[in-house]
C-alpha cells in the first residue's frame, strides 16, 4: 500500500515573482530566427504585425529574470501554486528504491500547463489595446487555455481547430465556448488560407495556423497567439520549475534526473529551465530527460537545421531539430506531441548534450499511464504518459543498480478528454506507428535552403 | 479584475483524524429505518447480508467523533486537503459586498466529493475479507469513485450503469475501466432483476441498484456499496466541512450562510454537518441552505414519510422527504440530483428548521455556473451549479441590503464530463421541467403504508 503520497503545499506568496530566462546562461548565445523571405536574421520589427511590443520584448529578452506583471500573478492565483507530491504508491508498485516526485499541472481550469502562458499573453495583449486574440488548436488544450485567459482579461478569442479534432473532441469545443470563445472548424470558409484548402477537410495544424495568422494580420485590433515553441512561451512556463525547486527543498531532496514530455517544448522548458540554470551554474548535478513519441521523434531522429515553424512556410525559420515542416505525424493520441520541430531553446540544450532525448511507443506510454492511474489515482494525459514511461525506466534502473535515485517528473495535464485513447489501449487496439529512416530521407530533401547550423 | 482569488492551503497533517457524527447533537434522536417486510425497526442484523460489520457500526454510530482508519487517511492524501478559496472575481462581477468562499472537491481523481466515502468503504470491505464491491451508478460519478477506491485497496469493482447514461457518457465508463472496474449496461442479462426489466432498455437507478444488490447478496465474497443517503456515507463526507472550518479560520471569517446542493444528500451533509454541530452547540450563528433542482424538489415539495430507498422496494424504509419511490425524475442534466428521497439525517435537519431548502430551474443554475466559469475559471458540474445559483441570490441580497455577508459554498465537482449540457445551455436548448402538484398527489397515493412521522 505504501504511504499514500506526500504533498508539499505552497501558498500564494510562493508563486514566483519572475520568469526564468535561460538564454543568458546558455553555453552559446541563441541563434536568431531568419526572415522567411530574405533568410536574414529576423528582428523584433518582423514580429510586430502579429505580436504586441511586450511579448516581442519577452521573446528577445537577455536578462536572466523577467518580472511577472502583478495582474498575471493574480490570475495565476486561480490555480497556482500547483501540487508537487511524492508518488509512494507508484514506487511501491515498481518496488524501487527511487523517490518519484510528480509536479502536476492538471489542476488548472483548462487541465494542463498551457494557461501559464495563455494568461500572460492575454494580459499583455489587453494592455496593448488589442481586442481579439486568434489562435489554432489541435487537440484543444491550447485553444481552451486561451479562451479561459481571454475570459479573464475581457478579450475576444477566436480559435481555428483542426477539422479532425473538431469532429472527434466535441467537449474541448464546448469548453472553449463555455469560456466565451468562438471555435471554427479548420479549414474554414472565413479565410483565404482555409478556402484554398477546402478539399483537405480533416485539416492540419499548419492550415489552422495560417487561418489564425491571416485573420490577426488583417485586423489591427487582433493579435495572433502561439501556445508553444517560441522563447516567450517557454519563459512563461518557468513558474512550474521554480515552484518545483521550492517544493523539493521542502522535501529535502535534489533531483538526480528531471523528466518531461516534449511536443513543441513549452512544458519541458517550463519544468526544466529553472533546474538547468542551476546546473549550468554548477549548483546542481542533474540529468535532464526529454520524452517524445516514436511516431514523431523530433529530438532523437530529426535534423538540426533551420526550418519553418508552420507547414505553409509563412513563419520565420527557426534553428531546431526538425522532421521537415511538411511532415504530417501519424494520428497518435498525444495530439500535443505531434509537431515537426521543437522550441529552439530546448533544441540547443539537446545539441549541447545538456538534455538527453528518448522516444517511446504510445502503447508503452499508455502502459505506464495506466499503472500511474491505478496507483496514484490521477489519469494522465497521453502526452505526459511518455514522461511517465521514462520514469518507470529510470526507477527500474535504480532497482537493478540497487541505488537511490531522485526522479522529478512533470505531469503536464490530466486525461479527462482523452479517455477514448484509454479505451483503445485497454481494448488492445492502439497502433504504434514509427518514424522511418525513409521518412527522414524524404524530409531532408524538402527542408528549406538556409545557412547550416550546429 | 479583482484580486484573482485568495487560497487557504492546508497540509497533509491538517486532514481530519475523525469523521463528525451529527446524530448525538440532533434535537431529537434519529428515527430508525424499518424492515421492508415487517415494517418493524431494522437493526444492524438486517444489513449484514450486504455490508461488513465496520460499515454497519458507522451507520448506527452514536459517538460524536468516529476515528478515521490510518490507511483511509493515507488514501485521502492523494487529493486532500482540497482547496478553499475566496472568489474575488465573482464578487466583483456581482458587485457585492458579500465575501464568497468556495470549498472545491473537484480536485479528487474522480472529480467530485464521492471518493471521500468510496475509499472508506473500499478499505473497510477489504479489511473484512471482501473481494468485490458491486454498485450502481447514474451519471457515473459514484461508479468511477468506487472503481478508483477499489484500485487502491486491491478489490474488484463491478458497476451497473443506468442504460441511458451508459450510452450518453462513454467517457465515464472509460474512466471506470481505466481504474480496473467492470461496467455493465443496466438492465443487464447478468441478473434476474435485469432480465425481468429487459424491455426497459434505458434503465433506471432503481433497476441498477437491484442488479448490484442481487449480485452482492448471492456472492459471499462480495458486498454492495452505496454512494449517498445512508448515515455512514454522510459521515465519511464530513472531512469536507472540517477542512473548511480550518480554512475559514485562516481567513479570519465565520460563515453567515453555508450553501450546498442536495441529491441524495452526501455532499450537503459533508460540507454542513461540522458547521451544523457548532451551530447546535451555540458556537456559530449560521444559516444552512440546501439547493435542489425544480425538476426533483424533494425537500421543498416532498412529503416527510417513511419510504423505500429504491424503486423496486427492496431496501429498508427510511424517514425522509420523498417524491415517491417510483418517481422517475425528468432527464435534467444534474444526474447526481435525480433522486426521489434524501438522506434521513439531512431531512431531519430540514424538518427541524435548521436547514432551509430552495429549488432552482436548471437554466438558472447553468447561468450561475457560466458566470462562475468565466470569472473563476473552474467549470462547475451541473449539480453544484444549483448551489452557485443560491450563492448569486445571497450575494445580490447582500448588495440590496448594503451589508456584508460571508457565504461558503460547496463546489462538489467539475463539469468535464457534462459539457454537452453547457452546449445545450449555450444553444438555448435546455428545458426546465418542473415537478407539479399533480405529480405529488399521484406519488402520495403510492407511498407504502408505514407509521406516520413528523
Amino acid at each position: 500500500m505504501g504511504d499514500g503520497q506526500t504533498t508539499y503545499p505552497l501558498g500564494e506568496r510562493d508563486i514566483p515573482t519572475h520568469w526564468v530566462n535561460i538564454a543568458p546562461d546558455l553555453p552559446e548565445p541563441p541563434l536568431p530566427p531568419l526572415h522567411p523571405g530574405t533568410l536574414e536574421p529576423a528582428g523584433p520589427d518582423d514580429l510586430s504585425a502579429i505580436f504586441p511590443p511586450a511579448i516581442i520584448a519577452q521573446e528577445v529578452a537577455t536578462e536572466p529574470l523577467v518580472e511577472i506583471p502583478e495582474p498575471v500573478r493574480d490570475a495565476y492565483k486561480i490555480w497556482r501554486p500547483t501540487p508537487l507530491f511524492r508518488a509512494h504508491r507508484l514506487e511501491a508498485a515498481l518496488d524501487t528504491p527511487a523517490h518519484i516526485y510528480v509536479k502536476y499541472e492538471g489542476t488548472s481550469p483548462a487541465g494542463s500547463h498551457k494557461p501559464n502562458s495563455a494568461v500572460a499573453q492575454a494580459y499583455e495583449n489587453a494592455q496593448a489595446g488589442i481586442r481579439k486574440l486568434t489562435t489554432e488548436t489541435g487537440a484543444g488544450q491550447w485553444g481552451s487555455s486561451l479562451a479561459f485567459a481571454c475570459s479573464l482579461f475581457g478579450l475576444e478569442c477566436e480559435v481555428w481547430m483542426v477539422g479532425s479534432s473538431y469532429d472527434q473532441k466535441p467537449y474541448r469545443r464546448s469548453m472553449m465556448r463555455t469560456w466565451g470563445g468562438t471555435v471554427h472548424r479548420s479549414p474554414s470558409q472565413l479565410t483565404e488560407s482555409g478556402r484554398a484548402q477546402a478539399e483537405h477537410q480533416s485539416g492540419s495544424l499548419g492550415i489552422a495556423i495560417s487561418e489564425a495568422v491571416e485573420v490577426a494580420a488583417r485586423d489591427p485590433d487582433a493579435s495572433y497567439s502561439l501556445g508553444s515553441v517560441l522563447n516567450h512561451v517557454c519563459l512563461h512556463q518557468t513558474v512550474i520549475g521554480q515552484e518545483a525547486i521550492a517544493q523539493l527543498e521542502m522535501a529535502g531532496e535534489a533531483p538526480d534526473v528531471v523528466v518531461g514530455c516534449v511536443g513543441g517544448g513549452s512544458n519541458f522548458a517550463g519544468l526544466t529551465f529553472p533546474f538547468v540554470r542551476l546546473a549550468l551554474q554548477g549548483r546542481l548535478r542533474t540529468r535532464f530527460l526529454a520524452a517524445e513519441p516514436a511516431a514523431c521523434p523530433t529530438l532523437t531522429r530529426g535534423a538540426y537545421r533551420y526550418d519553418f515553424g508552420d507547414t505553409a512556410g509563412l513563419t520565420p525559420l527557426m534553428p531546431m531539430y526538425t522532421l521537415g515542416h511538411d511532415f504530417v505525424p501519424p494520428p497518435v493520441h498525444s495530439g500535443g506531441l505531434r509537431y515537426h520541430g521543437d522550441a529552439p531553446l530546448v533544441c540547443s540544450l539537446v545539441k549541447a548534450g545538456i538534455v538527453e532525448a528518448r522516444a517511446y511507443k504510445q502503447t508503452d506510454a499508455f502502459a505506464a499511464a495506466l499503472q500511474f492511474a491505478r496507483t496514484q489515482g490521477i489519469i494522465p494525459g497521453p502526452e505526459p504518459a511518455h514522461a511517465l514511461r521514462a520514469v518507470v525506466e529510470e526507477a527500474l534502473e535504480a532497482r537493478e543498480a540497487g541505488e537511490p535515485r531522485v526522479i522529478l517528473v512533470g505531469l503536464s495535464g490530466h486525461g479527462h478528454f482523452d479517455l477514448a485513447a484509454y479505451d483503445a489501449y485497454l481494448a488492445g487496439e492502439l497502433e504504434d506507428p514509427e518514424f522511418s529512416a525513409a521518412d527522414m530521407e524524404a524530409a531532408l530533401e524538402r527542408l528549406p535552403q538556409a545557412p547550416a547550423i550546429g
Side-chain angles (χ1 to χ4, degrees), chain A:
Chain A
M1 275 279 314
D3 272 342
Q5 59 187 30
T6 313
T7 52
Y8 299 94
L10 300 176
E12 282 177 8
R13 69 190 62 183
D14 304 308
I15 295 173
T17 55
H18 293 74
W19 291 303
V20 168
N21 180 16
I22 195 74
D25 284 296
L26 289 179
E28 294 178 34
L31 293 164
L34 304 182
H35 189 282
T38 64
L39 297 187
E40 293 297 314
D45 287 352
D46 294 310
L47 300 170
S48 61
I50 54 172
F51 292 129
I55 291 292
I56 296 172
Q58 291 169 5
E59 181 66 19
V60 300
T62 53
E63 65 271 35
L65 294 174
V66 175
E67 190 169 2
I68 303 177
E70 206 47 45
V72 173
R73 242 180 129 249
D74 257 356
Y76 282 163
K77 290 178 187 168
I78 291 179
W79 75 99
R80 306 207 70 82
T82 59
L84 180 140
F85 59 87
R86 182 165 161 202
H88 289 289
R89 287 173 195 267
L90 179 62
E91 291 171 16
L94 295 171
D95 189 24
T96 178
H99 294 185
I100 300 172
Y101 291 91
V102 179
K103 178 66 172 169
Y104 182 42
E105 290 290 306
T107 54
S108 79
S112 79
H113 66 293
K114 291 288 186 191
N116 295 329
S117 186
V119 295
Q121 294 191 45
Y123 167 74
E124 295 295 4
N125 278 284
Q127 284 296 101
I130 292 295
R131 296 230 308 271
K132 178 163 81 177
L133 289 182
T134 69
T135 198
E136 75 291 334
T137 200
Q141 279 282 10
W142 172 247
S144 44
S145 298
L146 196 66
F148 156 64
C150 285
S151 81
L152 297 183
F153 292 99
L155 294 173
E156 282 180 61
C157 182
E158 204 167 352
V159 182
W160 276 261
M161 187 170 187
V162 174
S164 54
S165 295
Y166 185 95
D167 299 337
Q168 289 161 10
K169 300 212 172 195
Y171 298 131
R172 274 283 170 198
R173 273 193 260 153
S174 315
M175 203 172 197
M176 294 182 239
R177 287 174 178 150
T178 296
W179 281 315
T182 305
V183 190
H184 306 295
R185 192 184 187 288
S186 171
S188 74
Q189 287 295 311
L190 302 166
T191 66
E192 280 187 34
S193 322
R195 287 188 293 269
Q197 300 286 339
E199 78 273 25
H200 296 123
Q201 269 304 305
S202 65
S204 77
L205 217 42
I207 299 169
I209 292 176
S210 303
E211 295 202 83
V213 168
E214 182 183 322
V215 169
R218 77 185 177 206
D219 180 349
D221 290 336
S223 279
Y224 169 69
S225 184
L226 190 67
S228 192
V229 178
L230 298 180
N231 298 348
H232 67 276
V233 185
C234 295
L235 181 81
H236 298 153
Q237 294 293 350
T238 58
V239 290
I240 305 171
Q242 291 181 80
E243 287 179 6
I245 287 173
Q247 289 164 312
L248 280 181
E249 271 173 16
M250 290 168 75
E253 303 238 52
D256 294 304
V257 57
V258 181
V259 185
C261 62
V262 179
S266 77
N267 158 67
F268 186 81
L271 176 68
T272 61
F273 282 6
F275 289 97
V276 168
R277 180 165 165 255
L278 296 179
L280 290 172
Q281 293 170 353
R283 294 155 65 191
L284 261 188
R285 292 174 63 87
T286 299
R287 290 181 294 123
F288 300 95
L289 193 46
E292 62 179 13
C296 189
T298 327
L299 297 173
T300 51
R301 305 284 296 272
Y304 193 49
R305 298 273 287 270
Y306 269 109
D307 198 1
F308 296 110
D310 69 326
T311 306
L314 300 174
T315 71
L317 288 88
M318 291 177 291
M320 58 185 181
Y321 287 93
T322 176
L323 301 176
H325 61 282
D326 56 358
F327 172 61
V328 178
V332 290
H333 283 280
S334 47
L337 305 186
R338 294 176 64 231
Y339 184 65
H340 69 275
D342 271 311
L345 288 171
V346 171
C347 292
S348 75
L349 291 169
V350 172
K351 183 67 189 168
I354 296 162
V355 167
E356 177 196 350
R358 295 184 198 160
Y360 297 105
K361 294 186 210 176
Q362 68 174 349
T363 49
D364 291 337
F366 273 96
L370 202 75
Q371 185 170 31
F372 189 85
R374 291 182 180 179
T375 49
Q376 297 294 144
I378 298 167
I379 299 177
E383 293 85 0
H386 290 75
L388 292 172
R389 169 67 188 149
V391 166
V392 170
E393 216 166 65
E394 288 281 329
L396 295 182
E397 270 179 33
R399 184 175 75 185
E400 289 297 307
E403 63 183 26
R405 188 174 299 193
V406 178
I407 304 168
L408 169 64
V409 61
L411 183 53
S412 55
H414 61 61
H416 295 176
F417 296 92
D418 306 286
L419 283 159
Y422 280 87
D423 275 344
Y425 173 73
L426 289 167
E429 291 167 359
L430 268 196
E431 294 185 355
D432 272 325
E434 281 192 76
F435 190 79
S436 72
D439 290 334
M440 194 65 231
E441 287 297 322
L444 282 173
E445 288 184 12
R446 292 191 304 271
L447 285 184
Q449 295 305 314
I453 54 173

